[in-house]
Amino acid sequence: FMAWFTLFVKDMNILKNLNDITKNILFVMGNEDFTFISGVKKKCKRIKDSKLQILKHCGHVCNIQKWEEFNDVSLKYK
């Protein structure tokens, strides 16, 4: 539990650091990422020119579960 909790706290600190970003960011999330998706949706609404791409049928590690789709979305983002 402590190992998981430590990772969770680190992820939350990363989200807090997004306050410094004011525009043009891509969020790629899995639709089954129940821990972070609601917070990222709120963040995306507040950051100008940001985009949220939600990949279906995957969770928090969408860059591994759907790596081809993740890479495609990431490489096409401008």
Side-chain angles (χ1 to χ4, degrees):
F1 173 78
M2 289 307 293
W4 176 86
F5 185 74
T6 301
L7 290 173
F8 180 77
V9 169
K10 286 180 183 178
D11 279 345
M12 293 311 292
N13 287 332
I14 290 169
L15 288 176
K16 287 179 185 175
N17 291 335
L18 289 176
N19 289 330
D20 297 337
I21 299 172
T22 58
K23 63 180 179 175
N24 199 24
I25 187 170
L26 171 66
F27 296 95
V28 183
M29 310 273 311
N31 70 322
E32 297 170 5
D33 184 352
F34 303 114
T35 305
F36 299 106
I37 199 162
S38 63
V40 170
K41 284 180 179 179
K42 290 176 188 173
K43 253 330 165 186
C44 191
K45 288 180 182 178
R46 290 186 289 218
I47 298 174
K48 183 180 178 181
D49 298 324
S50 64
K51 180 180 178 183
L52 172 59
Q53 181 71 42
I54 299 175
L55 306 181
K56 294 181 180 179
H57 309 295
C58 62
H60 182 67
V61 289
C62 62
N63 59 323
I64 295 172
Q65 290 176 296
K66 297 275 189 152
W67 64 272
E68 290 176 321
E69 196 173 341
F70 179 91
N71 288 346
D72 187 51
V73 167
S74 299
L75 290 171
K76 289 180 180 176
Y77 184 70
K78 295 180 182 187

